[in-house]
Amino acid sequence: MFEALPESKPDTILALMQEFRDDPRTDKVDLGPGIYKDKHGNTPILAAVKQAEKKLLETQDTKAYVGPIGSRPFCDSILKQIFGTNADASRIRCAQSTGGTGALRIITDMLKETHPDAALWVSDPTWPNHALIFRAAGIETKPYPYYDAANSEVDFNGMMETLKNAKDKDIVLLHGCCHNPTGADLNLDQWKQVSDLCAQKSLFPFFDMAYQGFGDGLEEDAAAVRLFADALPEMAVAASCSKNLGLYRERTGAALLVAKHSADADRALGRLGVVIRSNYSMPPDHGANTTHLVMADEKLNALWREELEQMRQRMMRLRIAFAESMRKRTNSDRFDYIASQKGMFSRLPLNAEQIGTLREQHGIYMVGDGRINVAGLPEDDMDSLAEAIASVLQ
Ligand SMILES: Cc1ncc(COP(=O)(O)O)c(C=O)c1O
């Protein structure tokens, strides 16, 4: 029977990773997959995480099931990290999830029940996996314009005009910070306008928070989510610990639901528990337990914040250096926007042919839409990279 299955196209980013590994050139540059990398191209385990893991190994005394919702202490920590210590936690509930991806999926499965006729509006462009996740959950998606490629900035008018046509109770997926793939974020005034529109049209905000701490800082990056939670009766957040704690393969994240009041919040969490139970039963423990230890221990927490801040600052420095090199090489301010965008990604205004030439002739790897992973920029050889990019622009 398997012969009847359609061929599955390999994931383009995973295929690009393999091509990069197989490339024998020693001066190759990897700007592809969305993983933080240090100067040497490694994705190290954070020292705070290592120490927490050691502690966990020494103190954990059971491997008994944790239950569908996962670790309560972990959820309490994440809730505070996302919504702040002054949030009205009586109307917020949290379930541990298998990374941010798992959170996106279980929340969508639940929203299918609460919003059976809703469309899910997704920014154009967005993280390609969104389409896969939402299709698998069986929800209809619609694009809203997000990026003005000609000016390398948010197309805020296009976004608002399109969302004004959304139906009552439709769902809007919003990148809470560090938009993937563009690096172009809304400012607070724009967030306020989106929040007002959601209130007016009873739209349900669904935040994807995969990069908290990579933009302007841990607290600053949560500003939009907090603004919406204060202004709107209901919303959801899919949070990931993959990037800001470097826990990628440990599959650690959280699904957070904000309800009108405590009783509704309990009811929603109960349904989420049913979705989880019928899917993978319960989440893995290691990453969540480690995260909680990092959050709860004052010293580990301070160490983690310092390490996170170092990653953030390094990406900012790389952005500035790259923009400067591009300015010199192109004799224009066309690439200045890179310096002021946020998070791990920006998009270069390159077509498929130029991207192919960079890969084939210069060993510079990036995904097909021109998205670059800022953490992969070569800090000691920015000028060679800029020169190669400038050469394909001519
Ligand atoms: C926008 C966005 N959302 C969610 C995720 C999910 O991350 P994970 O499932 O690895 O925690 C990612 C990962 O790259 C992402 O870029």
Side-chain angles (χ1 to χ4, degrees), residues 11-39:
D11 182 294
T12 46
I13 298 188
L14 300 183
L16 192 74
M17 275 166 85
Q18 191 53 48
E19 211 184 312
F20 180 80
R21 276 191 222 112
D22 295 343
D23 188 332
R25 285 174 283 192
T26 50
D27 58 349
K28 58 190 177 178
V29 179
D30 183 11
L31 305 176
I35 311 166
Y36 180 82
K37 287 181 295 184
D38 65 14
K39 185 179 171 165

Side-chain angles (χ1 to χ4, degrees), residues 34 98-104 126-127 129-130 133 175 178-180 208-211 238-243 248 251-253 344-345 371:
T98 50
T101 306
L104 287 164
T126 194
W127 181 47
N129 210 23
H130 280 148
I133 297 166
H175 295 224
C178 310
H179 185 268
N180 180 4
D208 184 347
M209 277 289 266
Y211 297 92
S240 169
C241 301
S242 299
K243 323 282 168 163
Y248 306 89
R251 311 309 303 132
T252 311
M344 200 149 70
F345 307 111
R371 186 192 82 169

Side-chain angles (χ1 to χ4, degrees), residues 1-10:
M1 296 297 271
F2 292 163
E3 70 276 10
L5 288 170
E7 285 289 338
S8 302
K9 279 201 233 124

Side-chain angles (χ1 to χ4, degrees), residues 195-358:
S195 156
D196 289 346
L197 184 68
C198 289
Q200 247 171 42
K201 295 193 62 87
S202 304
L203 302 177
F204 183 93
F206 181 3
F207 275 92
D208 184 347
M209 277 289 266
Y211 297 92
Q212 190 183 359
F214 272 25
D216 289 323
L218 260 185
E219 294 294 310
E220 294 83 349
D221 289 351
V225 165
R226 293 178 190 179
L227 185 152
F228 275 62
D230 284 344
L232 293 157
E234 291 182 341
M235 62 184 260
V237 181
S240 169
C241 301
S242 299
K243 323 282 168 163
N244 56 13
L245 280 124
L247 283 170
Y248 306 89
R249 66 173 65 166
E250 298 297 351
R251 311 309 303 132
T252 311
L256 298 119
L257 304 169
V258 181
K260 289 188 198 104
H261 40 64
S262 180
D264 279 5
D266 284 338
R267 185 180 286 269
L269 187 68
R271 288 313 293 170
L272 203 59
V274 173
V275 169
I276 294 168
R277 188 78 172 128
S278 63
N279 189 330
Y280 50 87
S281 186
M282 36 196 97
D285 177 67
H286 182 80
N289 218 328
T290 303
T291 301
H292 170 63
L293 291 176
V294 170
M295 305 284 183
D297 180 298
E298 216 173 293
K299 274 199 188 134
L300 289 185
N301 194 279
L303 177 59
W304 167 60
R305 282 171 186 262
E306 199 183 303
E307 291 183 286
L308 176 58
E309 187 57 15
Q310 277 169 11
M311 290 194 275
R312 188 182 80 80
Q313 300 236 359
R314 177 168 170 272
M315 288 187 284
M316 276 173 42
R317 281 197 307 275
L318 289 169
R319 284 182 174 282
I320 293 167
F322 179 58
E324 268 171 20
S325 290
M326 288 306 296
R327 178 178 267 261
K328 267 194 270 165
R329 289 287 165 190
T330 60
N331 229 345
S332 81
D333 58 5
R334 179 68 190 90
F335 291 83
D336 281 11
Y337 68 93
I338 307 270
S340 54
Q341 289 187 332
K342 301 285 150 62
M344 200 149 70
F345 307 111
S346 275
R347 239 186 183 188
L348 300 185
L350 300 173
N351 60 34
E353 193 187 329
Q354 292 166 325
I355 292 166
T357 307
L358 283 172

